[in-house]
Amino acid sequence: MEKLFNLLKDYYDEMVEIRRYLHANPELSFQEVNTPNYIAEYHRALGHEVKEGVGGRGVVATLHGAKPGKTVALRADFDALAIQEQSDLPYKSKVDGVMHACAHDGHTATLLVLAKALNKLQHEIEGSIVFIHQHAEEIAPGGAIEMIKDGCLEGVDVIFGTHLWATEPLGNIMVKEGPIMAASDRIHITVKGQGGHGSDPSNTKDSIVIAAQFITHLQQLVSRRVKSTIPAVVSIGHIEALNPFNVIADSVKMKGTVRTFDETTRTLLEEEIEEVLKASCFLTKADYDYQYFRGYPPVINHEKETAFLVQLAPQVPGVEKLHICEPLMGGEDFAYYLEQIPGVFFFTGAQSPHWEETYPHHHPMFNIDERALLIAANTLGVATLKYLQEH
Ligand code: NI
């Protein structure tokens, strides 16, 4: 392992350079062109077997070790977000309205440079390593599902993935067995009342009043219908009824998000939200439209692989603390890989001890402490080599 750590330490500057290049040149989900080209080129220069356009825009590279053995996959996503960067970093986004505000630039830099280090150890490696560079993690249906259909997991025995996490202190590895990230679904609702003059409400069905009742009653679903020991979230994030001040709204549009960890609660909320909506409309005999879109399933870490990571993480250079965490309500399409094969998804702390203020993921001022890249590479690298040695 010493050799791997030394190589990665030597390549740290390159890792930062790649991350900053990608940060300055972000591309939106399902529109990535230069990023996958850049990734494919990097792997080709290392002599890896490279497949492009996997599941659309993904890149899969394979390093065959000198000796036969199992196959480990490592996954990094590479898409950015529709956010206008507000920082004045020297490497800030050059693309108007597009920003790497979730550290996927860092994930890609980590995996590329780790691939370079592992390549140098090829003569010692027993088995194969598959580098899965995934497009479009940010927007459902996401890139993972299509990459899997296109065969990126064929022959793979185990998968490891990490997310750099700006609200977790540098030096921490954060993980838990079982559900670690939520299923993330979307609801679209239209209340269809009957508009009219603001001075004459008795001749209308006021969609805004109905929507207000609906939103208020919605708060009781998680507190009164979902079992109190089970985590769940229902949030309305968008409400629209664009009328002049003296008009009763004919209709109101709402959009929201639903987060759960198990199929029973997911289905319960899908059905109960409609019941609340129906009841809210009932009093005034208004109508409604209800659509529930299923996003990513929950990310469920496998028992054995999580125990494997928990045991090795404290020995990794740079790791100061192993944080067994609560589940996070965010979504991740890494979930699909873990539905197919064993593996573990963990968080690498990337919050700088020197920051006065930490900006969360998807914030226009978002940034990471780049030293986390080295910790992520060390951890993924050890997990890979140890797994291949032990199996
Ligand atoms: Ni992300």
Side-chain angles (χ1 to χ4, degrees):
M1 299 305 157
E2 276 313 302
K3 275 189 223 165
L4 175 75
F5 298 145
N6 287 333
L7 283 167
L8 287 170
K9 203 158 71 184
D10 289 348
Y11 298 157
Y12 175 64
D13 289 344
E14 182 185 352
M15 219 184 291
V16 170
E17 204 178 297
I18 294 173
R19 185 255 161 169
R20 292 184 180 190
Y21 166 76
L22 295 171
H23 192 87
N25 298 280
E27 292 180 298
L28 290 173
S29 318
F30 295 109
Q31 297 175 37
E32 308 95 330
V33 177
N34 291 326
T35 315
N37 285 346
Y38 179 91
I39 292 165
E41 203 42 59
Y42 192 94
H43 279 286
R44 256 196 299 269
L46 293 173
H48 296 162
E49 185 185 307
V50 179
K51 281 187 211 149
E52 290 170 85
V54 180
R57 292 164 188 270
V59 180
V60 178
T62 307
L63 163 64
H64 297 288
K67 300 161 207 164
K70 296 278 186 188
T71 299
V72 174
L74 301 172
R75 175 272 209 169
D77 43 14
F78 61 72
D79 56 328
L81 288 147
I83 292 173
Q84 179 68 42
E85 183 158 8
Q86 278 171 17
S87 80
D88 49 11
L89 297 167
Y91 52 90
K92 77 171 191 188
S93 174
K94 290 185 203 162
V95 187
D96 239 16
V98 184
M99 176 188 176
H100 268 295
C102 198
H104 299 186
D105 49 352
H107 301 167
T108 304
T110 298
L111 195 56
L112 287 176
V113 171
L114 175 59
K116 181 174 169 175
L118 289 168
N119 180 282
K120 286 277 184 297
L121 303 173
Q122 189 267 348
H123 56 283
E124 297 176 18
I125 292 173
E126 303 164 48
S128 300
I129 304 163
V130 175
F131 303 95
I132 299 177
H133 291 273
Q134 187 205 307
H135 60 299
E137 186 281 324
E138 296 288 0
I139 297 179
I145 198 161
E146 289 302 320
M147 288 190 76
I148 293 167
K149 275 188 209 156
D150 214 355
C152 75
L153 292 182
E154 265 164 38
V156 175
D157 296 293
V158 71
I159 187 162
F160 301 118
T162 192
H163 205 303
L164 297 162
W165 210 243
T167 53
E168 180 72 9
L170 183 78
N172 285 15
I173 293 291
M174 181 165 87
V175 72
K176 79 177 276 295
E177 189 206 308
I180 185 165
M181 294 190 81
S184 92
D185 300 339
R186 196 145 52 109
I187 44 176
H188 286 191
I189 288 163
T190 308
V191 170
K192 297 170 172 173
Q194 191 185 317
H197 199 288
S199 66
D200 188 21
S202 61
N203 281 317
T204 69
K205 298 172 182 176
D206 190 339
S207 297
I208 287 182
V209 172
I210 298 166
Q213 282 168 348
F214 165 70
I215 292 169
T216 307
H217 286 139
L218 206 54
Q219 309 313 313
Q220 292 178 21
L221 281 186
V222 172
S223 74
R224 288 297 174 270
R225 295 294 295 130
V226 176
K227 210 172 163 213
S228 47
T229 49
I230 293 176
V233 170
V234 181
S235 293
I236 298 293
H238 175 104
I239 174 160
E240 183 186 315
L242 301 170
N243 287 299
F245 77 99
N246 56 356
V247 171
I248 302 264
D250 197 54
S251 69
V252 172
K253 284 193 160 79
M254 288 172 274
K255 289 177 190 169
T257 186
V258 180
R259 307 293 169 108
T260 53
F261 286 98
D262 63 280
E263 199 48 46
T264 311
T265 313
R266 200 179 192 184
T267 308
L268 174 91
L269 285 174
E270 177 173 3
E271 291 168 4
E272 292 279 323
I273 292 167
E274 183 167 16
E275 288 302 310
V276 174
L277 181 60
K278 203 190 283 176
S280 305
C281 292
F282 174 76
L283 283 178
T284 47
K285 298 188 179 63
D287 208 353
Y288 67 84
D289 189 58
Y290 175 63
Q291 286 174 292
Y292 191 98
F293 302 97
R294 288 194 165 218
Y296 303 150
V299 178
I300 310 222
N301 277 333
H302 293 239
E303 187 185 343
K304 247 173 55 195
E305 289 65 28
T306 308
F308 171 73
L309 182 85
V310 162
Q311 193 252 323
L312 70 80
Q315 304 155 34
V316 174
V319 174
E320 285 157 25
K321 186 182 159 189
L322 180 73
H323 174 190
I324 305 294
C325 61
E326 298 284 317
L328 283 79
M329 300 312 289
E332 236 295 346
D333 70 350
F334 197 84
Y336 291 116
Y337 303 107
L338 294 180
E339 282 187 341
Q340 303 291 321
I341 57 167
V344 60
F345 187 71
F346 61 96
F347 295 89
T348 304
Q351 179 184 41
S352 178
H354 308 301
W355 291 343
E356 281 172 18
E357 194 170 1
T358 299
Y359 298 99
H361 288 249
H362 297 201
H363 189 282
M365 290 288 286
F366 173 82
N367 202 8
I368 50 168
D369 188 318
E370 288 167 327
R371 289 174 293 175
L373 272 62
L374 184 57
I375 299 173
N378 281 338
T379 311
L380 289 170
V382 180
T384 305
L385 293 180
K386 269 210 156 152
Y387 184 91
L388 292 177
Q389 273 172 9
E390 290 175 10
H391 293 80

